[in-house]
Amino acid sequence: MAKKIKSNLDRRAVINKILEKRGDALIVTGLGSSCYDVGAAGDNPLNFYLWGAMGSAAMIGLGLALAQPKRQVIVITGDGEMLMGIGSLATIGISKAPNLSIVVLDNEAYGETGQQDTATKHGVSLSGIARACAMKDCRDINTMVEVQALRDRIHQGGGSLFAQIKIDPEKIPLVLPPRDSTFIKNRMRVSILGQSALHD
């Protein structure tokens, strides 16, 4: 008998709450559903949508966090994408970037390739791995009250953070943000560094 999801949090409600009053935070999405979820919450030039390069979201977030230490950087990705880049957590843990938060939307499935089980459905704890990699604050989240507390903690800063949020596996309508990678990159650079960034 298949293991049931422990929580039925709505992924879009979770993202809307996390991004509420985000200020000038930089957002990096994983590919697939997390990309669509952030787009559904409202396109923003400070969003970096990772349409491909599975497993890269956390490391791109680390690079931004180190390059922009005065801004909060939030990586929003899925369990499958995080599992693909699981080794990045060791580098992130020892970097101790105080402005980096990694939020994993865990539906226990590879949503882009046919809903095959991920390892989290069979007992693998991503937050446990992050904790073992010396990340300062690691959370398992199953309620919207905990999501609210997570949002407050992200905006307050105070050290690197990892959150694994159990979400409903239901497929929902796609909201497609911009897909042109050059456009996405350039508009974020201009938003952070000004127009001169396009001539560097």
Side-chain angles (χ1 to χ4, degrees):
M1 185 173 182
K3 178 184 170 186
K4 291 184 178 180
I5 295 283
K6 295 177 184 175
S7 173
N8 61 350
L9 291 183
D10 177 272
R11 61 187 311 134
R12 298 266 164 96
V14 167
I15 294 306
N16 285 339
K17 179 56 66 178
I18 290 172
L19 296 183
E20 188 178 66
K21 299 178 182 176
R22 63 181 274 186
D24 65 354
L26 307 177
I27 310 298
V28 177
T29 76
L31 76 169
S33 295
S34 58
C35 181
Y36 314 143
D37 295 337
V38 171
D43 186 34
N44 187 304
L46 297 178
N47 293 349
F48 189 86
Y49 304 107
L50 190 64
W51 282 98
M54 186 171 179
S56 301
M59 287 305 286
I60 290 173
L62 175 61
L64 275 174
L66 295 176
Q68 296 293 319
K70 295 183 179 179
R71 291 183 187 247
Q72 292 299 315
V73 177
I74 309 169
V75 174
I76 298 175
T77 191
D79 48 315
E81 202 273 348
M82 191 68 254
L83 284 162
M84 179 70 77
I86 201 71
S88 65
L89 294 180
T91 303
I92 290 167
I94 62 175
S95 77
K96 303 192 185 308
N99 56 330
L100 177 62
S101 299
I102 300 172
V103 176
V104 177
L105 304 176
D106 181 10
N107 65 354
E108 302 181 349
Y110 289 102
E112 295 302 294
T113 59
Q115 296 299 111
Q116 301 92 343
D117 291 357
T118 66
T120 65
K121 188 166 187 176
H122 302 280
V124 171
S125 170
L126 296 174
S127 61
I129 294 170
R131 189 173 295 110
C133 289
M135 291 197 70
K136 185 174 181 180
D137 184 348
C138 300
R139 304 179 181 205
D140 292 289
I141 291 179
N142 296 282
T143 70
M144 286 303 293
V145 171
E146 292 171 319
V147 173
Q148 172 76 55
L150 171 67
R151 189 209 73 174
D152 294 344
R153 164 63 174 78
I154 289 172
H155 295 315
Q156 289 164 2
S160 60
L161 180 149
F162 186 98
Q164 182 175 359
I165 305 176
K166 291 291 184 179
I167 58 165
D168 195 309
E170 180 183 4
K171 295 290 260 183
I172 53 180
L174 304 184
V175 176
L176 301 180
R179 296 192 66 172
D180 185 300
S181 57
T182 302
F183 168 75
I184 294 167
K185 175 194 73 173
N186 285 340
R187 76 170 184 170
M188 178 176 266
R189 290 184 71 198
V190 168
S191 296
I192 296 171
L193 303 172
Q195 285 292 332
S196 62
L198 295 180
H199 307 293
D200 291 344

